[in-house]
Amino acid sequence: MRPVDLELLAVPGRPAAAGDLILVALSRPDLAGNSYRSSLRRIGPDGADTPWTHGERDSAPAVSPDGRWVAFLRGTGKSGPLSRPQLHVMPVSGGEARRVTELPLGVDAPVWAPDSRRIAFTARVPEPGRYGTPPPGEDDAPEAAEEAPRRITRYDYRVDDVGFLRDRPKRLFVVDTAEPATDPAPLTEGEADVSDPAWTPGGESVLVVAPRDWDRTETLHTDLYAVPAGGGAPVLAVRTRGTASHPAVAADGTILYYGLEFEGLSEVARNTGLWAAAPGGEPRRLTDTETVDCAPVGEPVPYEDGVLVVVRNRGAAELRSVPREGDRVELSGLKLLAGERAAVRSFAVDGDTIVLVQAGPADAGEVVVLSGGEASRLTDFSAPLRDSGIRSAEELTATAPDGYPVHGWLVLPEGEGPHPVLLVIHGGPFAPYEWSLFDEAQVYASAGYAVVLANPRGSASYGERHGRAVVGALGTVDADDLLALLDAVLERSDVDSGRVGVMGGSYGGFMTGWLASHHGERFRAAWSERAVNAWDSFSGSSDIGWFFTENYVGADPEEQRRRSPLTYAADIRIPFAVAHSEQDWRCPLEQAQRMFVALKKNGTETEFLLFPGEGHELTRSGKPRHRLQRFEAVLDWWRRYLPVS
């Protein structure tokens, strides 16, 4: 896979299914337009893939309960509200799509009411005079640079890749698709963001997730509220043990949701569980805390005698069934339906049929149907990508110095070698590399590098204790695990143990700086991007720094400095690249600036690559041309300092 093959990354979204109708939004990077294009595709039972819509950015299809209508989102490449995703409806039998909304900041995914007429959704509502809206009594909207100053009184006033929050809260709307209002009014008021709407079986209320006590003070706790569909004050439906997301209401009124369990402000590296509660009742956890980590890729779905969820397990994202009356059931007690050595990205249920999108080591996601105990893959969206050259991933295991098992993968280039080696470290840290295609590993392997991908302690999908092993101990056992897996690779005859580089982003960037300063003799050069380099300033500048730093490192300033790669910049003697995004609010730009200046003063060979207008998610959802330019810059760096023979 070459950098320009980014355009071949066809990624399907969440499917919608009703009878013989299966719809999925297929998204691709468009280098010429420097954007992402997506349209709805109809997938036939024989695998036939035909266009269903022809918009520039169509997504989030949902079929009405009576099977007559499809709701979806459509955005355009033009300026103004219509460039944002707006709600559209069209008949299942085909025809012209009818636009239902024209809200200034667009809308989120539609959720049909049981009556197949009303649709619930959430949307950000801007304060007048901001985000392209005119101030009260005026006709024209001010330019962004001319807007009034923001008065900030709370920690939680912004978030990366979204922006400022308090002046555009996310509110709940319900529209009648037969008689849509020209200017629909939100059902929720105040500054509280709401999300994940779910209808009650009778259609009288909509459940939403909202901050505890309707966001009166800073909190990372969320609860479930019932909002009357015809208007009225929200009513607390479930007070959680920590957080809630993606609720669903079973036919008997039982509320199912994903949730974290913690006390105090927050805790990091906790497994997400499946919970159940009667309205107003005490919630109970259906899945085990240690062994089951649910991936909230959509609401849990009752199916036969269980509830379908996706569970992260040793780099896989598996579709499993949780017993409805379960009580903290361990992973071994959850029936496996799909996703073994793969990653289920989303799923939908229609009667006895399950339609899912599943990614594997050689594809970015395909539509699979489970029916009668049999699985049938219907699509081959990634065929052009495989034709460009996809290298297989070899599973690896190793043992850390303290005897702990380490798991990961090796992606080898063509040829006998010996190949130069790149240790590529993921972000998080509570995230995993998966049994799915990773574009970065493929690009580097195609350029001639053996790519090592590890899930050290601190990663997700290996149990909660594994994830929490680095809380208060960053740069200890996680570093041991990474080096242990690297050493296992370097024993091979097809790699060159004298030509090794290290790179990573976010936490991976942090660990790149840590390894370069503490184990620099192991590597020829390093590439660190969107990194945490200094915990003391991260605490006050990152969108999550006000809680994340103390959870992972602690409040002691001296300990924060001891755990900061910047503290050891003088010990970095290998060539060290610093890459960052100008609008990164997760790991703010000053993190890169401070490291670059320290290295430059130290006389270390260094470069600073700065991407304008991008946020923390550059490598995954940044502008396609920037993603291409980044790949080209990475490969140029490694050609200079880690040349392929």
Side-chain angles (χ1 to χ4, degrees), residues 175-502:
V175 295
D176 186 329
T177 59
E179 299 177 359
T182 304
D183 186 17
L187 294 183
T188 56
E189 298 295 336
E191 293 185 349
D193 273 5
V194 302
S195 62
D196 302 344
W199 288 90
T200 54
E204 68 283 352
S205 298
V206 181
L207 288 186
V208 294
V209 176
R212 178 151 297 168
D213 300 325
W214 209 251
D215 206 24
R216 283 201 292 267
T217 60
E218 290 96 334
T219 179
L220 294 175
H221 289 269
T222 55
D223 294 319
L224 294 172
Y225 292 82
V227 180
V235 176
L236 180 65
V238 178
R239 186 175 178 88
T240 73
R241 303 280 181 83
T243 63
S245 70
H246 297 85
V249 187
D252 63 359
T254 300
I255 298 171
L256 303 163
Y257 66 93
Y258 302 113
L260 295 173
E261 186 174 11
F262 60 86
E263 297 179 355
L265 181 63
S266 74
E267 286 193 70
V268 292
R270 292 292 188 190
N271 280 349
T272 298
L274 175 65
W275 295 75
E282 190 69 16
R284 59 186 180 86
R285 188 165 187 157
L286 277 63
T287 56
D288 177 53
T289 302
E290 170 59 29
T291 62
V292 180
D293 183 18
C294 296
V297 296
E299 70 275 4
V301 179
Y303 181 78
E304 296 180 344
D305 58 352
V307 179
L308 298 183
V309 298
V310 174
V311 177
R312 299 193 291 191
N313 178 31
R314 291 184 59 80
E318 302 168 339
L319 184 67
R320 289 184 177 255
S321 179
V322 180
R324 293 197 195 193
E325 301 305 318
D327 181 12
R328 298 182 181 259
V329 182
E330 294 184 355
L331 181 66
S332 59
L334 308 184
K335 181 181 178 182
L336 174 64
L337 284 81
E340 188 174 13
R341 295 197 168 203
V344 175
R345 301 299 189 203
S346 57
F347 67 94
V349 175
D350 178 48
D352 295 332
T353 301
I354 302 170
V355 181
L356 54 92
V357 169
Q358 178 175 285
D363 63 78
E366 304 294 347
V367 176
V368 177
V369 170
L370 303 180
S371 183
E374 298 293 327
S376 302
R377 195 180 82 169
L378 300 185
T379 62
D380 198 7
F381 298 133
S382 291
L385 194 62
R386 286 195 300 276
D387 291 343
S388 74
I390 294 297
R391 305 301 300 166
S392 60
E394 178 181 338
E395 187 176 14
L396 298 176
T397 57
T399 303
D402 63 357
Y404 195 84
V406 188
H407 183 230
W409 294 265
L410 173 66
V411 183
L412 284 169
E414 291 183 350
E416 296 181 358
H419 309 289
V421 179
L422 291 179
L423 174 62
V424 183
I425 308 169
H426 69 63
F430 195 58
Y433 282 130
E434 292 184 316
W435 285 98
S436 61
L437 187 142
F438 181 33
D439 61 338
E440 292 197 41
Q442 293 298 326
V443 168
Y444 307 148
S446 294
Y449 297 95
V451 183
V452 182
L453 307 172
N455 282 335
R457 274 170 279 189
S459 304
S461 82
Y462 297 82
E464 190 169 274
R465 283 191 294 272
H466 181 96
R468 291 187 59 79
V470 299
V471 173
L474 289 168
T476 60
V477 294
D478 46 352
D480 292 342
D481 291 357
L482 288 165
L483 294 177
L485 198 71
L486 176 62
D487 284 339
V489 170
L490 296 182
E491 293 176 358
R492 300 169 59 115
S493 61
D494 52 0
V495 302
D496 187 343
S497 61
R499 290 185 294 156
V500 183
V502 60

Side-chain angles (χ1 to χ4, degrees), residues 24 41 136 172 227 276 290 402 406 484 486 509 520 526 535 538 553 641:
V24 67
R41 315 289 299 186
L172 174 68
V227 180
E290 170 59 29
D402 63 357
V406 188
L486 176 62
W535 291 107
F538 178 90
V553 183
Y641 298 106

Side-chain angles (χ1 to χ4, degrees), residues 157-161 506-507 528-546 548-549 566 578-596 608-611 614-617:
Y157 65 94
R158 60 175 187 158
V159 68
D160 183 75
D161 271 357
S506 196
Y507 161 78
S528 171
E529 56 192 320
R530 62 182 188 280
V532 180
N533 292 313
W535 291 107
D536 56 350
S537 58
F538 178 90
S539 181
S541 60
S542 169
D543 60 346
I544 62 172
W546 57 281
F548 191 88
T549 303
L566 182 67
V578 177
H580 221 88
S581 295
E582 193 176 43
Q583 302 298 324
D584 191 335
W585 287 359
R586 181 59 40 86
C587 296
L589 179 57
E590 56 88 17
Q591 293 284 312
Q593 293 167 322
R594 294 182 71 186
M595 178 61 90
F596 172 71
F608 183 15
L609 187 66
L610 181 60
F611 289 89
E614 296 288 359
H616 196 65
E617 297 298 306

